[in-house]
Amino acid sequence: MTDLSVLLGPISALVLAPLIPGIINRTKAVVAGRTGQSLLQLYADLLRLFRKGAVYSRTTSWVFKAGPVAGLSCMAVSLAMLPLGGVPGAMAFTGDLIVMVYLMGLSRFFTAAAAMDTGSAFEGMGASREVQFSVLAEPALLVGLAAVALAAGPAGLFDAGPVVNGFRSLSEIYHQLTLSVWANDGAILLLAAAALFIVALTENCRIPVDDPNTHLELTMIHEVMVLDHSGPDFGMILYAAALKLWFFLALLSGLLIPVRSENLWINGISTIIGIFFLAVGVGLVESVMARLRLLRIPQLLAGALSLSALALVLVLWG
Amino acid sequence: MKIVIEALIVLLILTNLKLIASSRLSACIRVVAVQGVLLGLMPLIAGQEALTLRIAALSGLTMLLKGVVFPWLLLKTLRSANVRREIEPFVGYAASLMIGAGLLFLAIWMSRQLPMPFAVTSPLIMPLAFFTMMIGLFAVISRRKAITQVLGYLVMENGIYAFGLVFAQHEPLLVELGILLDAFMAVFVMGITIFHINREFDHIDADRLSALKG
């Protein structure tokens, strides 16, 4: 039972992740009064792309080909450590949340390097923007998770040996986020969740930061870096992007839905339902908000950082 | 009870951060109004003893003055001065937020250096008071428009009020009323001054006052 349920997180992520962009698009379409594309559109797109061949420019090197592969594999490895609410991740060890955040950094590095390898000025601009915003998003994510870890209380249950308070595996931290933690430190968890939501929108290039539908080179951030990829490479990029969206929504959903019953299946499935609701929420945010001016984005991210700093301060000295 | 007080304190800290992060002057005025109302609610909720007429009158008067009268006066001045935004602050908004986070750490460190002579309702009230005072001072020195500087002064006064809350049971009513009256007179006079500065010079950029020659 326990052995099987460990696989629930990674398998549900790999299977269900392409559904999330579909849900977001459907929400936007319904709000705008359109019918919208099929919920399974991304699956069809991925199938189509993986059947195609890739075209490589003569000016690119192996770095360009490594970008999509490294991006997808980094996401797959970090999904193995991701807890699904109360269900522990397939791999859980002390400090895995830091490894996860830096795996994201590694995948970002490879995507940016592949973009610069093409020698296109547009792609270099996109890479510069992506890296600039992640400088502010990364500390907000880490500090927010640290606040959650400290709020969840000292190490317990499936703890292997003495561990410094707060620096444990993410699975264990999430396992201890019960309803009583919410009753005691609800304000702290809400602040951290708000910061995580902003970071999730930034990292996944959703609307207040970047518009995933635009193809105007001057405004896009993430899309501009992958303009030259084609066929299976582009398929891998799209799939990795869907996995990343799933990853952040699962982090948020596990934080916001404190279902920690004895039955791991109930925990996991309630978290997955939470992920779907969060996807609808992202769609609603995209429907009611306009894209921010590029100059305002660092301010938004500084806001996220100060929200998580506030959460950390409250949990340390509150 | 504890969670209500903590939620109030977190909201107050967020209003402070919002004040230094927003460039629209009318939004700043509303934030300070919300802060005043939240501060007025504090003694009703955080009081350790039974609710007395004195505390009820104090918080009612605070909410009326800070939540209604000051914002009304300032919004009226804003309309007559015909400015909407803080265009070029001395410190940018993202940098202001970072400095705000730093000030929060400083405020908490400071309040931990000061032992309390008696039990306080929440250990976060003292940091909140210091933080609010610092944010007020920061708004005064980092912004160009005279209205934002008045808001900074008001927020600083809010911080002093929050500091007084810790001692609400030990402080005579007369002192509180005196402080409120002072703040009221100050905002009143500053409103009139801004109106006249604007009529004379067509702008309310306070930094350009230093270039005046007698």
Side-chain angles (χ1 to χ4, degrees), chain A residues 178-256:
Chain A
T178 51
L179 208 56
S180 63
V181 177
W182 267 96
N184 282 330
D185 294 321
I188 292 161
L189 294 185
L190 266 185
L191 284 174
L196 275 184
F197 190 67
I198 298 178
V199 171
L201 291 179
T202 311
E203 289 275 347
N204 293 295
C205 310
R206 306 311 304 192
I207 251 181
V209 176
D210 185 12
D211 189 347
N213 292 327
T214 181
H215 276 279
L216 195 67
E217 289 88 343
L218 289 176
T219 56
M220 28 185 207
I221 300 166
H222 186 77
E223 291 289 316
V224 76
M225 291 200 298
V226 299
L227 275 179
D228 275 316
H229 291 281
S230 58
D233 283 345
F234 191 54
M236 276 192 262
I237 288 170
L238 285 184
Y239 191 42
L243 289 180
K244 195 171 183 182
L245 192 55
W246 174 277
F247 178 89
F248 276 97
L249 293 188
L251 271 185
L252 259 176
S253 171
L255 180 62
L256 289 174

Side-chain angles (χ1 to χ4, degrees), chain B residues 52-69:
Chain B
T52 56
L53 185 66
R54 189 174 76 86
I55 292 180
L58 184 64
S59 81
L61 202 61
T62 311
M63 283 196 267
L64 182 71
L65 266 184
K66 293 184 175 167
V68 182
V69 178

